[in-house]
Amino acid sequence: KNQVEQSPQSLIILEGKNCTLQCNYTVSPFSNLRWYKQDTGRGPVSLTIMTFSENTKSNGRYTATLDADTKQSSLHITASQLSDSASYICVVSDAGNNRKLIWGLGTSLAVNP
Amino acid sequence: DAGITQSPRHKVTETGTPVTLRCHQTENHRYMYWYRQDPGHGLRLIHYSYGVKDTDKGEVSDGYSVSRSKTEDFLLTLESATSSQTSVYFCAISESPVTETQYFGPGTRLLVL
């Protein structure tokens, strides 16, 4: 069964600190990998989208990396802000199943002052 | 929320009653999607549309129907609501399903008693 697993499940950091969120997937072959940010009570917002040939993609203080060989991705947040408190969701597009999107359960990040 | 509105934003209904949720977009995107989000599950696709009057089932379509008579509107109907359909429902849009980002609406919180 194709799966997307994220770790940690939740994380608490102090404002200004960096953090890294992990995503491991078993989807194969895959078309692309996406990271979304979801604030409480709102819809997900796209941060990055990477194809299998891309290793790194940045969006401001957010940097996503992808290792297609080990089927791992990470999302690094630099100099965290209170507004970064949210759930971060990894999504993998299944190229072998009509590019169906397989959603992870997300990592809940709390940034404290 | 990228020119996407959902109505109603909150609804409480009773088991057995029909319910219709509306998604309206001003972006003229071809693809529209309905998802549900529940604790312990990643977002799950209910139905999607790839054009006016063109719709297809997602992974959890039982008990739901959709209609799209105009580019900008995508309706989700629960024929006879059940308690298992208590959830948060998100509408999303995209220009293509393959490489393009999906933009999400603010969500509808539905409680079926």
Side-chain angles (χ1 to χ4, degrees):
Chain A
K1 180 181 177 181
N2 285 327
Q3 287 187 323
V4 176
E5 295 186 352
Q6 296 187 240
S7 62
Q9 191 171 21
S10 62
L11 181 63
I12 302 173
I13 63 174
L14 291 176
E15 186 179 12
K17 298 297 186 182
N18 302 335
C19 68
T20 299
L21 315 179
Q22 299 291 339
C23 174
N24 295 337
Y25 60 92
T26 59
V27 180
S28 182
F30 84 101
S31 176
N32 56 64
L33 185 146
R34 313 164 186 219
W35 282 94
Y36 280 85
K37 176 188 179 189
Q38 185 175 20
D39 293 318
T40 300
R42 305 195 66 174
V45 174
S46 178
L47 294 175
T48 64
I49 179 169
M50 292 184 289
T51 65
F52 61 87
S53 61
E54 295 178 289
N55 300 121
T56 304
K57 185 161 274 190
S58 292
N59 179 357
R61 295 180 296 101
Y62 301 101
T63 299
T65 63
L66 174 63
D67 185 334
D69 292 331
T70 62
K71 296 185 172 59
Q72 295 179 323
S73 177
S74 64
L75 181 69
H76 186 73
I77 304 175
T78 303
S80 61
Q81 300 176 358
L82 298 179
S83 60
D84 292 331
S85 294
S87 178
Y88 292 84
I89 306 173
C90 176
V91 189
V92 180
S93 174
D94 185 351
N97 188 8
N98 202 27
R99 296 184 176 86
K100 172 186 175 181
L101 296 184
I102 313 297
W103 292 74
L105 297 183
T107 291
S108 178
L109 174 66
V111 180
N112 290 341
Chain B
D1 293 314
I4 309 168
T5 56
Q6 293 184 232
S7 59
R9 294 293 314 280
H10 303 271
K11 186 170 182 65
V12 180
T13 191
E14 293 187 348
T15 297
T17 60
V19 176
T20 296
L21 308 183
R22 179 180 184 243
C23 176
H24 178 78
Q25 61 148 328
T26 58
E27 306 296 323
N28 201 36
H29 282 6
R30 179 181 175 188
Y31 291 83
M32 298 186 75
Y33 312 81
W34 278 107
Y35 288 91
R36 60 179 290 175
Q37 187 173 38
D38 305 288
H41 293 274
L43 266 76
R44 292 181 291 176
L45 181 65
I46 305 171
H47 281 281
Y48 67 98
S49 170
Y50 47 97
V52 173
K53 297 192 187 328
D54 293 322
T55 65
D56 206 349
K57 295 179 180 180
E59 60 184 297
V60 290
S61 59
D62 288 347
Y64 301 95
S65 63
V66 291
S67 66
R68 190 169 178 199
S69 59
K70 297 185 291 184
T71 299
E72 57 266 34
D73 290 326
F74 193 31
L75 303 180
L76 176 71
T77 298
L78 289 64
E79 305 291 346
S80 178
T82 67
S83 58
S84 64
Q85 294 177 310
T86 292
S87 186
V88 180
Y89 291 86
F90 287 101
C91 174
I93 64 173
S94 70
E95 290 187 282
S96 94
V98 178
T99 58
E100 293 297 323
T101 296
Q102 289 188 6
Y103 300 94
F104 284 80
T108 293
R109 193 170 292 272
L110 176 66
L111 174 61
V112 183
L113 300 175

